[in-house]
């Protein structure tokens, strides 16, 4: 695969097709067009804005031990740039996670006990990228989602990172980059292939994931990925994505007294 976004886009039905399963096993990701309608996109954006207003008013710093990342919008006003457990504060977001089509993705885990981790990991995460002065979130360097398991001395567990894209992002405007096939790498490469979050530049093997509003992407948690900074500035650089963790294994819910996970000490490196 090249750095250009030449790969198949699929449609998600009640179950995955053999072609979709085979593509994921080989490359470690899938891209589904029009998972949700424009009306649903607008409803989810409104719901996230309502949560943001509440958190700004209440000066929420952490949710279930996970720090909330704040920054500035294009007009200089404060915004939440990384939400965690957002569905705990919104019936609209909570209801969205009950969509039965998420269950169609469980076979990709290749493990029993698949579920939407609404109360685990960081819950429903919403990332709000914007490239302006004062923004604290315009890109995210190379990382895998398996690092958290490594830090806790656990065997790397099956996890899918499922992104619901609320804005369209052509490759020329930054956005998600993946290195296909790295979901099959060994522990050494998971730990040392890149400098976590510090390495932000392109990789010769990466592909750009071009999204339209309402698209859904899925990638294996062991895969190296980054979010490229938009070369544009201001409103045109805005990119909002909801991340739904789909996991298996022991049920480990978070609560208001949960400690801050060690891996989130790297969050300050993300600008």
């Amino acid at each position: 695969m090249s750095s250009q976004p030449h790969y198949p886009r699929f449609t998600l039905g009640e179950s995955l097709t053999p072609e979709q399963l085979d593509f994921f096993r080989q490359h470690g990701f899938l891209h589904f067009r029009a998972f949700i309608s424009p009306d649903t996109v607008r409803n989810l954006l409104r719901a996230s804005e309502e949560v943001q207003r509440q958190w700004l008013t209440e000066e929420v710093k952490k949710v279930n031990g996970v720090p909330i990342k704040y920054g500035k919008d294009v007009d200089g006003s404060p915004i939440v740039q990384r939400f965690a457990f957002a569905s705990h504060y919104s019936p609209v977001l909570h209801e969205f996670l009950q969509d039965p089509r998420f269950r169609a993705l469980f076979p990709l885990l290749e493990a029993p006990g698949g579920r939407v981790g609404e109360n685990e990991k960081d819950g429903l995460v919403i990332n709000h990228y914007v490239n302006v002065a004062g923004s604290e979130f315009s890109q995210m360097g190379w990382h895998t989602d398996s690092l958290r398991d490594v830090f806790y001395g656990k065997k790397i567990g099956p996890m899918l990172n499922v992104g619901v894209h609320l804005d369209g992002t052509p490759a020329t405007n930054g956005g998600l980059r993946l290195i296909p096939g790295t979901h099959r790498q060994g522990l050494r490469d998971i730990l040392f292939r890149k400098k976590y979050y510090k390495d932000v530049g392109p990789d010769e093997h990466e592909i750009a994931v071009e999204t339209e509003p309402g698209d859904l992407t899925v990638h294996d948690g062991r895969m190296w990925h980054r979010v490229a900074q938009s070369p544009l500035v201001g409103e045109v650089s805005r990119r909002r994505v909801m991340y739904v963790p789909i996991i298996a294994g022991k049920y480990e819910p978070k609560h208001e007294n949960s400690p801050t996970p060690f891996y989130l000490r790297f969050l300050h490196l993300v600008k």
Side-chain angles (χ1 to χ4, degrees):
M1 288 191 174
S2 70
S3 61
Q4 298 303 310
H6 299 310
Y7 60 86
R9 277 71 163 177
F10 299 104
T11 299
L12 183 60
E14 294 182 359
S15 61
L16 295 171
T17 67
E19 180 188 8
Q20 292 164 0
L21 288 165
D22 288 344
F23 187 89
F24 185 86
R25 291 189 186 108
Q26 182 177 356
H27 300 294
F29 76 99
L30 290 167
H31 184 170
F32 299 99
R33 287 293 194 204
F35 176 70
I36 55 175
S37 69
D39 282 345
T40 301
V41 169
R42 286 189 287 271
N43 289 339
L44 295 175
L45 286 171
R46 280 196 295 268
S48 70
E49 290 164 359
E50 290 171 0
V51 175
Q52 175 176 271
R53 281 192 290 271
Q54 178 183 351
W55 288 3
L56 287 169
T57 299
E58 298 177 1
E59 298 183 345
V60 174
K61 298 294 190 296
K62 293 182 180 181
V63 177
N64 293 342
V66 179
I68 305 305
K69 194 174 186 69
Y70 291 88
K72 299 292 184 182
D73 207 343
V74 295
D75 61 357
S77 61
I79 56 172
V80 177
Q81 296 205 259
R82 187 183 191 272
F83 300 70
F85 296 101
S87 65
H88 290 201
Y89 291 80
S90 168
V92 172
L93 298 178
H94 169 73
E95 182 62 27
F96 176 67
L97 294 184
Q98 315 313 308
D99 190 315
R101 290 176 296 172
F102 287 126
R103 290 197 287 274
L105 302 175
F106 291 177
L108 298 175
L109 292 165
E110 296 185 339
R115 60 191 180 274
V116 173
E118 184 175 12
N119 305 314
E120 301 172 84
K121 306 291 186 181
D122 296 352
L124 176 64
V125 169
I126 305 175
N127 286 345
H128 186 167
Y129 302 94
V130 62
N131 188 19
V132 295
S135 172
E136 291 293 319
F137 217 8
S138 63
Q139 64 181 326
M140 183 178 287
W142 286 107
H143 63 287
T144 76
D145 299 316
S146 297
L147 184 66
R148 63 190 71 185
D149 288 341
V150 174
F151 271 134
Y152 288 105
K154 299 178 181 179
K155 180 181 178 181
I156 293 174
M159 176 187 174
L160 304 176
N161 197 326
V162 179
V164 180
H165 298 262
L166 305 179
D167 294 288
T169 307
T172 54
N173 197 18
L176 181 62
R177 304 290 194 264
L178 305 169
I179 304 180
T182 52
H183 64 302
R184 300 192 302 270
Q185 66 194 334
L187 180 60
R188 180 181 176 83
D189 282 341
I190 286 177
L191 292 175
F192 301 117
R193 179 170 179 152
K194 303 280 189 184
K195 294 179 181 177
Y196 273 78
Y197 302 111
K198 288 187 176 182
D199 287 346
V200 298
D203 185 284
E204 62 177 331
H205 301 294
E206 74 178 25
I207 65 164
V209 178
E210 291 192 307
T211 60
E212 297 174 359
D215 283 4
L216 181 128
T217 58
V218 185
H219 67 261
D220 190 295
R222 296 165 292 186
M223 172 177 282
W224 280 100
H225 60 287
R226 71 182 177 109
V227 176
Q229 185 179 58
S230 172
L232 307 176
V233 177
E235 184 61 38
V236 290
S237 70
R238 192 181 307 279
R239 180 175 180 269
R240 291 160 292 189
V241 187
M242 296 172 46
Y243 284 106
V244 181
I246 291 183
I247 58 180
K250 181 182 178 182
Y251 180 57
E252 297 180 309
K254 298 286 187 66
H255 51 79
E256 61 181 6
N257 295 319
S258 292
T260 299
F262 180 81
Y263 63 89
L264 286 174
R265 297 181 188 181
F266 293 95
L267 193 61
H268 71 281
L269 298 175
V270 179
K271 297 289 186 180

